[in-house]
Amino acid sequence: MHDISLVTLLTLCLAAAAAGWIDAVVGGGGLILLPALLVGLPDHRPAQLLGTNKAVAIVGTSAAAVTYARRAPVDVRLAVRIGGTALIGSSCGALLAAGINSDLLRPLIMVVLVGVLAFVMLRPAFGTAPAGAPAGRARIWAAIGVGGLGIGFYDGLIGPGTGTFLVIALTAILRLDLVNASATAKIVNTCTNLGALVMFSAQGAVLWRLAAVLAVFNLGGGLLGARMALKKGAGFVRGVLVVVVLGLVAKLAWDQWL
């Protein structure tokens, strides 16, 4: 890390902590950390920054998943089934990620974020009602297909926002409240991070020493965020989701056009 200035390193550490907190509450921490890596390390290949982001994210996501599983009514068996499929999807996406041009990342992320924001804003009660009856077989298979293969593939290919998309998909398909959806999403997201990280590591596309430092801050943020979400409930999670998406859309638009 001799080529990284102290200011840049401190900025990335703060971004990693914030990403861990947001990831644990509502997902999408990569939408903070990956842009920070792109800005702070412009001379590195996009695949290296994507791989480093995965190495950091898996630490905070795993810790948040354990915290949720201990304190929230999570269907661990279902989460693992979705997660196993997501691991396959993310591995396939990561195989294609080496060819991504960094100039395409910001516009792609911004388009996806605007879609997420529109969905949440047009449905004010989304995810705040108590969880419904257990999902039937058709909904479970739909969750495996969309949350596993579909979002898993996206996670390996690009990554940022995966946790947010998982929360929305699981809430809509399985009729979970936002807290239970966040808890389930953390287990699935851990699997997608693992699949992508294995592929990036095999390609030598991980800055391991930097990732180790950032992971410590990401871990702290993730533990704090999970505990706050469990304590404050679905309304808090939805509020954080809206604020985070608004802020990220504004930031990416600024970077792209101003």
Side-chain angles (χ1 to χ4, degrees):
M1 294 191 297
H2 62 276
D3 57 339
I4 301 176
S5 71
L6 180 59
V7 173
T8 298
L9 180 60
L10 290 175
T11 301
L12 292 176
C13 287
L14 290 174
W21 188 89
I22 290 169
D23 226 3
V25 175
V26 76
L31 287 162
I32 289 180
L33 185 53
L34 182 58
L37 289 167
L38 287 167
V39 172
L41 305 175
D43 296 330
H44 288 74
R45 293 184 293 115
Q48 289 181 306
L49 304 184
L50 288 165
T52 303
N53 179 56
K54 288 297 168 208
V56 175
I58 195 171
V59 175
T61 304
S62 300
V66 172
T67 300
Y68 275 117
R70 287 176 175 175
R71 300 176 59 183
V74 185
D75 187 339
V76 176
R77 289 183 61 187
L78 176 58
V80 170
R81 287 174 65 188
I82 300 172
T85 309
L87 189 151
I88 297 171
S90 66
S91 299
C92 294
L95 283 174
L96 303 177
I100 290 181
N101 188 322
S102 61
D103 292 336
L104 298 178
L105 282 179
R106 286 192 184 93
L108 281 174
I109 294 169
M110 188 161 49
V111 168
V112 173
L113 275 174
V114 170
V116 169
L117 181 62
F119 180 87
V120 175
M121 295 297 288
L122 291 173
R123 300 188 65 180
F126 179 75
T128 58
R137 182 174 298 179
R139 287 184 176 273
I140 290 174
W141 280 110
I144 291 172
V146 174
L149 287 178
I151 298 178
F153 181 82
Y154 167 82
D155 191 33
L157 182 65
I158 300 176
T162 296
T164 305
F165 304 143
L166 281 171
V167 169
I168 291 175
L170 294 173
T171 303
I173 296 172
L174 300 178
R175 296 175 180 171
L176 303 176
D177 63 43
L178 280 171
V179 173
N180 286 334
S182 291
T184 305
K186 292 300 150 292
I187 297 173
V188 177
N189 206 181
T190 299
C191 295
T192 66
N193 284 337
L194 177 61
L197 179 59
V198 168
M199 289 300 172
F200 282 121
S201 180
Q203 298 170 31
V206 181
L207 306 175
W208 287 108
R209 287 187 293 175
L210 176 61
V213 174
L214 299 184
V216 174
F217 290 85
N218 190 261
L219 173 62
L223 290 173
L224 178 62
R227 289 169 183 167
M228 288 183 69
L230 287 165
K231 181 178 180 180
K232 295 181 178 294
F236 169 74
V237 175
R238 186 183 187 280
V240 172
L241 174 62
V242 171
V243 171
V244 167
V245 173
L246 277 171
L248 289 169
V249 168
K251 174 65 168 61
L252 289 170
W254 177 276
D255 292 342
Q256 184 70 22
W257 291 305
L258 299 175

